[in-house]
Amino acid sequence: MSSLAPHAPERHAPAHRGQEDGSVGELLSTVASDLQLLLRQEAELAKAEIREEATKAGKAAGMFGGAGFAGYMVAVFLTLAAMFGLANVMDLGWAALIVTAVWAVIGLVLYRRGRAQMRTVSPKPEQTMQTLKEDMQWARHPTR
């Protein structure tokens, strides 16, 4: 219900031009809100993907920690057994030195293998990167 009289003059451009401006304005507004929604969704996808990978890595690290401790205990007792076994053949000091050298070689091999495997880890959220590329291509050419 307008309080304007029926004979009040129009204060805007002709009707067909106002409709075009409104349509273009509405279109731009829709595109902007869709783009904001898309960017928010991509950010949420990236967060979820990173969170999921971090959870899996954390669980694996915990298991590696437990396995590492158990392995450490086994290594200590095997080292002592080997050292005392060699002590029956030679001086205890030399037996300890030989066992230490063996452990040094084992440590070096494990370090190199771990370093090589760490280089294969990808911290990037691959799925998010791919969808962002697709979104950028669509944004450049939305009619294709």
Side-chain angles (χ1 to χ4, degrees), residues 103-144:
W103 276 114
V105 170
I106 291 170
L108 180 63
V109 168
L110 290 174
Y111 168 76
R112 287 190 177 186
R113 290 188 69 192
R115 183 179 64 176
Q117 191 162 358
M118 184 58 82
R119 289 181 178 162
T120 65
V121 173
S122 176
K124 278 193 309 189
E126 296 294 334
Q127 183 181 356
T128 301
M129 298 300 288
Q130 181 61 33
T131 57
L132 281 174
K133 287 178 187 176
E134 291 170 2
D135 293 344
M136 292 306 292
Q137 288 175 351
W138 176 84
R140 287 187 194 122
H141 308 286
T143 58
R144 288 187 190 177

Short mmCIF file of all heavy atoms in Angstrom, two decimals, residues 103-144:
data_model
loop_
_atom_site.label_atom_id
_atom_site.label_comp_id
_atom_site.label_asym_id
_atom_site.label_seq_id
_atom_site.Cartn_x
_atom_site.Cartn_y
_atom_site.Cartn_z
N TRP A 103 74.48 -52.16 16.03
CA TRP A 103 73.33 -51.27 16.23
C TRP A 103 73.51 -49.96 15.48
O TRP A 103 72.53 -49.38 14.99
CB TRP A 103 73.09 -51.00 17.71
CG TRP A 103 72.27 -52.09 18.32
CD1 TRP A 103 72.67 -52.98 19.28
CD2 TRP A 103 70.93 -52.41 17.99
NE1 TRP A 103 71.65 -53.85 19.55
CE2 TRP A 103 70.57 -53.52 18.79
CE3 TRP A 103 70.00 -51.90 17.11
CZ2 TRP A 103 69.32 -54.11 18.71
CZ3 TRP A 103 68.75 -52.48 17.04
CH2 TRP A 103 68.41 -53.58 17.84
N ALA A 104 74.71 -49.48 15.34
CA ALA A 104 74.96 -48.25 14.57
C ALA A 104 74.59 -48.46 13.11
O ALA A 104 73.97 -47.58 12.48
CB ALA A 104 76.41 -47.83 14.71
N VAL A 105 74.94 -49.60 12.55
CA VAL A 105 74.60 -49.90 11.15
C VAL A 105 73.08 -50.01 10.99
O VAL A 105 72.49 -49.47 10.05
CB VAL A 105 75.31 -51.20 10.69
CG1 VAL A 105 74.77 -51.66 9.33
CG2 VAL A 105 76.81 -50.99 10.62
N ILE A 106 72.44 -50.71 11.92
CA ILE A 106 70.98 -50.84 11.86
C ILE A 106 70.31 -49.47 11.93
O ILE A 106 69.39 -49.17 11.17
CB ILE A 106 70.47 -51.76 12.99
CG1 ILE A 106 70.92 -53.20 12.75
CG2 ILE A 106 68.95 -51.68 13.13
CD1 ILE A 106 70.67 -54.13 13.92
N GLY A 107 70.78 -48.61 12.83
CA GLY A 107 70.23 -47.25 12.96
C GLY A 107 70.39 -46.44 11.70
O GLY A 107 69.47 -45.73 11.27
N LEU A 108 71.54 -46.54 11.04
CA LEU A 108 71.79 -45.81 9.81
C LEU A 108 70.85 -46.26 8.70
O LEU A 108 70.28 -45.44 7.98
CB LEU A 108 73.25 -45.97 9.39
CG LEU A 108 73.66 -45.26 8.10
CD1 LEU A 108 73.51 -43.75 8.28
CD2 LEU A 108 75.09 -45.62 7.74
N VAL A 109 70.68 -47.57 8.56
CA VAL A 109 69.78 -48.11 7.53
C VAL A 109 68.34 -47.64 7.79
O VAL A 109 67.65 -47.19 6.86
CB VAL A 109 69.86 -49.65 7.49
CG1 VAL A 109 68.75 -50.24 6.64
CG2 VAL A 109 71.22 -50.10 6.97
N LEU A 110 67.89 -47.73 9.02
CA LEU A 110 66.53 -47.28 9.34
C LEU A 110 66.34 -45.79 9.11
O LEU A 110 65.29 -45.35 8.62
CB LEU A 110 66.19 -47.64 10.79
CG LEU A 110 65.99 -49.13 11.08
CD1 LEU A 110 65.81 -49.36 12.57
CD2 LEU A 110 64.82 -49.67 10.29
N TYR A 111 67.33 -44.99 9.44
CA TYR A 111 67.25 -43.55 9.23
C TYR A 111 67.10 -43.24 7.74
O TYR A 111 66.24 -42.44 7.35
CB TYR A 111 68.50 -42.86 9.78
CG TYR A 111 68.62 -41.43 9.34
CD1 TYR A 111 67.83 -40.44 9.92
CD2 TYR A 111 69.49 -41.06 8.34
CE1 TYR A 111 67.91 -39.13 9.51
CE2 TYR A 111 69.59 -39.75 7.92
CZ TYR A 111 68.79 -38.79 8.49
OH TYR A 111 68.88 -37.49 8.08
N ARG A 112 67.90 -43.86 6.91
CA ARG A 112 67.84 -43.59 5.47
C ARG A 112 66.51 -44.02 4.86
O ARG A 112 65.95 -43.33 4.03
CB ARG A 112 69.00 -44.26 4.75
CG ARG A 112 70.30 -43.55 5.04
CD ARG A 112 71.39 -44.04 4.17
NE ARG A 112 72.61 -43.28 4.43
CZ ARG A 112 73.70 -43.41 3.74
NH1 ARG A 112 73.75 -44.27 2.74
NH2 ARG A 112 74.75 -42.69 4.03
N ARG A 113 66.01 -45.18 5.28
CA ARG A 113 64.72 -45.64 4.77
C ARG A 113 63.59 -44.72 5.23
O ARG A 113 62.67 -44.41 4.47
CB ARG A 113 64.46 -47.08 5.19
CG ARG A 113 65.39 -48.06 4.47
CD ARG A 113 65.03 -49.47 4.73
NE ARG A 113 63.75 -49.75 4.07
CZ ARG A 113 63.05 -50.84 4.30
NH1 ARG A 113 63.48 -51.74 5.15
NH2 ARG A 113 61.91 -51.04 3.67
N GLY A 114 63.64 -44.30 6.49
CA GLY A 114 62.61 -43.39 7.00
C GLY A 114 62.62 -42.05 6.29
O GLY A 114 61.58 -41.49 5.96
N ARG A 115 63.81 -41.53 6.04
CA ARG A 115 63.94 -40.25 5.33
C ARG A 115 63.39 -40.37 3.92
O ARG A 115 62.67 -39.49 3.44
CB ARG A 115 65.40 -39.81 5.31
CG ARG A 115 65.59 -38.46 4.66
CD ARG A 115 67.02 -38.02 4.67
NE ARG A 115 67.80 -38.95 3.87
CZ ARG A 115 69.09 -38.84 3.61
NH1 ARG A 115 69.77 -37.83 4.13
NH2 ARG A 115 69.72 -39.71 2.87
N ALA A 116 63.70 -41.47 3.24
CA ALA A 116 63.19 -41.68 1.88
C ALA A 116 61.68 -41.78 1.87
O ALA A 116 61.00 -41.23 1.00
CB ALA A 116 63.82 -42.94 1.28
N GLN A 117 61.13 -42.46 2.86
CA GLN A 117 59.67 -42.60 2.91
C GLN A 117 58.99 -41.29 3.28
O GLN A 117 57.90 -40.98 2.80
CB GLN A 117 59.28 -43.69 3.90
CG GLN A 117 57.82 -44.06 3.80
CD GLN A 117 57.53 -45.40 4.44
OE1 GLN A 117 58.42 -46.07 4.93
NE2 GLN A 117 56.28 -45.78 4.43
N MET A 118 59.62 -40.49 4.12
CA MET A 118 59.03 -39.20 4.52
C MET A 118 58.91 -38.26 3.32
O MET A 118 58.00 -37.45 3.26
CB MET A 118 59.89 -38.56 5.62
CG MET A 118 59.31 -37.28 6.16
SD MET A 118 57.65 -37.47 6.85
CE MET A 118 58.04 -38.10 8.45
N ARG A 119 59.79 -38.42 2.37
CA ARG A 119 59.73 -37.57 1.17
C ARG A 119 58.52 -37.87 0.31
O ARG A 119 58.16 -37.07 -0.55
CB ARG A 119 61.01 -37.73 0.36
CG ARG A 119 62.19 -37.10 1.06
CD ARG A 119 63.44 -37.23 0.25
NE ARG A 119 64.55 -36.56 0.94
CZ ARG A 119 65.81 -36.76 0.69
NH1 ARG A 119 66.16 -37.61 -0.25
NH2 ARG A 119 66.73 -36.12 1.37
N THR A 120 57.88 -39.00 0.52
CA THR A 120 56.69 -39.35 -0.27
C THR A 120 55.40 -38.83 0.35
O THR A 120 54.36 -38.93 -0.28
CB THR A 120 56.58 -40.89 -0.44
OG1 THR A 120 56.34 -41.47 0.83
CG2 THR A 120 57.83 -41.48 -1.07
N VAL A 121 55.47 -38.26 1.55
CA VAL A 121 54.27 -37.75 2.23
C VAL A 121 53.83 -36.46 1.55
O VAL A 121 54.64 -35.57 1.28
CB VAL A 121 54.56 -37.51 3.73
CG1 VAL A 121 53.39 -36.82 4.40
CG2 VAL A 121 54.89 -38.82 4.42
N SER A 122 52.54 -36.36 1.28
CA SER A 122 51.98 -35.16 0.65
C SER A 122 51.03 -34.46 1.63
O SER A 122 49.95 -34.95 1.90
CB SER A 122 51.21 -35.54 -0.61
OG SER A 122 50.60 -34.40 -1.17
N PRO A 123 51.45 -33.28 2.16
CA PRO A 123 50.58 -32.58 3.10
C PRO A 123 49.46 -31.79 2.43
O PRO A 123 48.60 -31.25 3.11
CB PRO A 123 51.55 -31.65 3.82
CG PRO A 123 52.61 -31.38 2.82
CD PRO A 123 52.74 -32.64 1.99
N LYS A 124 49.46 -31.71 1.10
CA LYS A 124 48.43 -30.95 0.39
C LYS A 124 47.12 -31.72 0.35
O LYS A 124 47.11 -32.92 0.14
CB LYS A 124 48.84 -30.70 -1.07
CG LYS A 124 49.75 -29.57 -1.30
CD LYS A 124 49.85 -29.21 -2.77
CE LYS A 124 50.14 -30.38 -3.65
NZ LYS A 124 50.44 -29.99 -5.04
N PRO A 125 46.01 -31.03 0.51
CA PRO A 125 44.70 -31.67 0.32
C PRO A 125 44.42 -31.81 -1.18
O PRO A 125 43.93 -30.90 -1.82
CB PRO A 125 43.73 -30.72 1.00
CG PRO A 125 44.42 -29.39 0.99
CD PRO A 125 45.90 -29.68 1.03
N GLU A 126 44.75 -32.96 -1.74
CA GLU A 126 44.70 -33.18 -3.18
C GLU A 126 43.30 -32.98 -3.77
O GLU A 126 43.15 -32.34 -4.79
CB GLU A 126 45.19 -34.60 -3.51
CG GLU A 126 46.63 -34.86 -3.15
CD GLU A 126 47.62 -34.05 -3.97
OE1 GLU A 126 47.29 -33.65 -5.11
OE2 GLU A 126 48.72 -33.80 -3.46
N GLN A 127 42.27 -33.52 -3.12
CA GLN A 127 40.91 -33.40 -3.65
C GLN A 127 40.48 -31.94 -3.70
O GLN A 127 39.88 -31.49 -4.67
CB GLN A 127 39.96 -34.22 -2.79
CG GLN A 127 38.53 -34.22 -3.31
CD GLN A 127 37.60 -35.02 -2.43
OE1 GLN A 127 38.01 -35.64 -1.47
NE2 GLN A 127 36.33 -35.00 -2.76
N THR A 128 40.80 -31.19 -2.67
CA THR A 128 40.42 -29.78 -2.63
C THR A 128 41.15 -29.01 -3.72
O THR A 128 40.54 -28.16 -4.39
CB THR A 128 40.76 -29.18 -1.25
OG1 THR A 128 40.05 -29.93 -0.26
CG2 THR A 128 40.35 -27.73 -1.18
N MET A 129 42.42 -29.30 -3.92
CA MET A 129 43.17 -28.60 -4.97
C MET A 129 42.55 -28.88 -6.33
O MET A 129 42.43 -27.97 -7.15
CB MET A 129 44.64 -29.05 -4.94
CG MET A 129 45.37 -28.72 -3.65
SD MET A 129 45.42 -26.97 -3.30
CE MET A 129 46.59 -26.45 -4.52
N GLN A 130 42.15 -30.12 -6.58
CA GLN A 130 41.54 -30.47 -7.86
C GLN A 130 40.21 -29.74 -8.05
O GLN A 130 39.96 -29.20 -9.12
CB GLN A 130 41.34 -31.99 -7.96
CG GLN A 130 40.72 -32.44 -9.27
CD GLN A 130 41.57 -32.10 -10.47
OE1 GLN A 130 42.80 -32.10 -10.41
NE2 GLN A 130 40.93 -31.79 -11.58
N THR A 131 39.36 -29.73 -7.03
CA THR A 131 38.07 -29.06 -7.19
C THR A 131 38.23 -27.56 -7.32
O THR A 131 37.46 -26.91 -8.02
CB THR A 131 37.10 -29.40 -6.03
OG1 THR A 131 37.71 -29.02 -4.80
CG2 THR A 131 36.75 -30.87 -6.02
N LEU A 132 39.24 -26.98 -6.67
CA LEU A 132 39.50 -25.55 -6.83
C LEU A 132 39.91 -25.24 -8.27
O LEU A 132 39.48 -24.22 -8.84
CB LEU A 132 40.57 -25.07 -5.85
CG LEU A 132 40.12 -24.84 -4.43
CD1 LEU A 132 41.30 -24.52 -3.53
CD2 LEU A 132 39.09 -23.72 -4.37
N LYS A 133 40.73 -26.09 -8.86
CA LYS A 133 41.11 -25.89 -10.26
C LYS A 133 39.89 -25.95 -11.16
O LYS A 133 39.73 -25.13 -12.06
CB LYS A 133 42.13 -26.94 -10.69
CG LYS A 133 43.51 -26.73 -10.12
CD LYS A 133 44.44 -27.85 -10.54
CE LYS A 133 45.78 -27.73 -9.84
NZ LYS A 133 46.66 -28.87 -10.17
N GLU A 134 39.02 -26.94 -10.90
CA GLU A 134 37.80 -27.06 -11.69
C GLU A 134 36.91 -25.83 -11.51
O GLU A 134 36.32 -25.34 -12.48
CB GLU A 134 37.05 -28.32 -11.30
CG GLU A 134 37.76 -29.60 -11.70
CD GLU A 134 37.13 -30.83 -11.08
OE1 GLU A 134 36.10 -30.71 -10.37
OE2 GLU A 134 37.68 -31.93 -11.30
N ASP A 135 36.81 -25.33 -10.29
CA ASP A 135 35.99 -24.15 -10.02
C ASP A 135 36.54 -22.93 -10.74
O ASP A 135 35.79 -22.11 -11.27
CB ASP A 135 35.92 -23.87 -8.52
CG ASP A 135 35.16 -24.96 -7.77
OD1 ASP A 135 34.45 -25.75 -8.42
OD2 ASP A 135 35.32 -25.02 -6.53
N MET A 136 37.86 -22.79 -10.77
CA MET A 136 38.47 -21.65 -11.45
C MET A 136 38.22 -21.74 -12.96
O MET A 136 37.96 -20.73 -13.60
CB MET A 136 39.97 -21.59 -11.15
CG MET A 136 40.29 -21.24 -9.71
SD MET A 136 39.50 -19.72 -9.14
CE MET A 136 40.38 -18.53 -10.13
N GLN A 137 38.30 -22.94 -13.52
CA GLN A 137 38.02 -23.10 -14.94
C GLN A 137 36.57 -22.76 -15.23
O GLN A 137 36.26 -22.10 -16.22
CB GLN A 137 38.32 -24.54 -15.38
CG GLN A 137 39.79 -24.85 -15.45
CD GLN A 137 40.06 -26.31 -15.76
OE1 GLN A 137 39.15 -27.13 -15.77
NE2 GLN A 137 41.31 -26.64 -16.02
N TRP A 138 35.67 -23.18 -14.36
CA TRP A 138 34.26 -22.86 -14.56
C TRP A 138 34.03 -21.37 -14.45
O TRP A 138 33.27 -20.79 -15.22
CB TRP A 138 33.41 -23.59 -13.52
CG TRP A 138 31.97 -23.21 -13.62
CD1 TRP A 138 31.04 -23.74 -14.47
CD2 TRP A 138 31.30 -22.18 -12.89
NE1 TRP A 138 29.83 -23.11 -14.29
CE2 TRP A 138 29.96 -22.13 -13.33
CE3 TRP A 138 31.71 -21.29 -11.91
CZ2 TRP A 138 29.05 -21.24 -12.82
CZ3 TRP A 138 30.79 -20.40 -11.41
CH2 TRP A 138 29.47 -20.39 -11.86
N ALA A 139 34.70 -20.72 -13.48
CA ALA A 139 34.50 -19.29 -13.27
C ALA A 139 34.99 -18.50 -14.50
O ALA A 139 34.41 -17.47 -14.85
CB ALA A 139 35.25 -18.83 -12.02
N ARG A 140 36.03 -18.98 -15.15
CA ARG A 140 36.54 -18.29 -16.35
C ARG A 140 35.60 -18.48 -17.53
O ARG A 140 35.43 -17.59 -18.35
CB ARG A 140 37.93 -18.82 -16.70
CG ARG A 140 39.00 -18.34 -15.77
CD ARG A 140 40.37 -18.77 -16.27
NE ARG A 140 41.33 -18.58 -15.19
CZ ARG A 140 42.08 -19.52 -14.67
NH1 ARG A 140 42.00 -20.75 -15.12
NH2 ARG A 140 42.93 -19.26 -13.70
N HIS A 141 35.01 -19.67 -17.64
CA HIS A 141 34.15 -20.00 -18.77
C HIS A 141 32.89 -20.70 -18.27
O HIS A 141 32.74 -21.91 -18.42
CB HIS A 141 34.89 -20.92 -19.76
CG HIS A 141 36.21 -20.39 -20.17
ND1 HIS A 141 36.34 -19.34 -21.05
CD2 HIS A 141 37.48 -20.77 -19.83
CE1 HIS A 141 37.62 -19.09 -21.22
NE2 HIS A 141 38.35 -19.93 -20.49
N PRO A 142 31.97 -19.96 -17.65
CA PRO A 142 30.79 -20.60 -17.04
C PRO A 142 29.82 -21.23 -18.04
O PRO A 142 28.99 -22.03 -17.66
CB PRO A 142 30.13 -19.46 -16.26
CG PRO A 142 30.60 -18.22 -16.90
CD PRO A 142 31.96 -18.52 -17.46
N THR A 143 29.90 -20.88 -19.32
CA THR A 143 28.95 -21.42 -20.29
C THR A 143 29.41 -22.72 -20.90
O THR A 143 28.65 -23.36 -21.61
CB THR A 143 28.70 -20.39 -21.43
OG1 THR A 143 29.94 -20.07 -22.05
CG2 THR A 143 28.04 -19.15 -20.87
N ARG A 144 30.64 -23.13 -20.67
CA ARG A 144 31.16 -24.38 -21.27
C ARG A 144 30.73 -25.57 -20.48
O ARG A 144 30.56 -25.62 -19.36
CB ARG A 144 32.67 -24.35 -21.34
CG ARG A 144 33.15 -23.38 -22.40
CD ARG A 144 34.62 -23.49 -22.56
NE ARG A 144 35.10 -22.40 -23.40
CZ ARG A 144 36.34 -22.20 -23.68
NH1 ARG A 144 37.26 -23.01 -23.23
NH2 ARG A 144 36.70 -21.21 -24.44
#
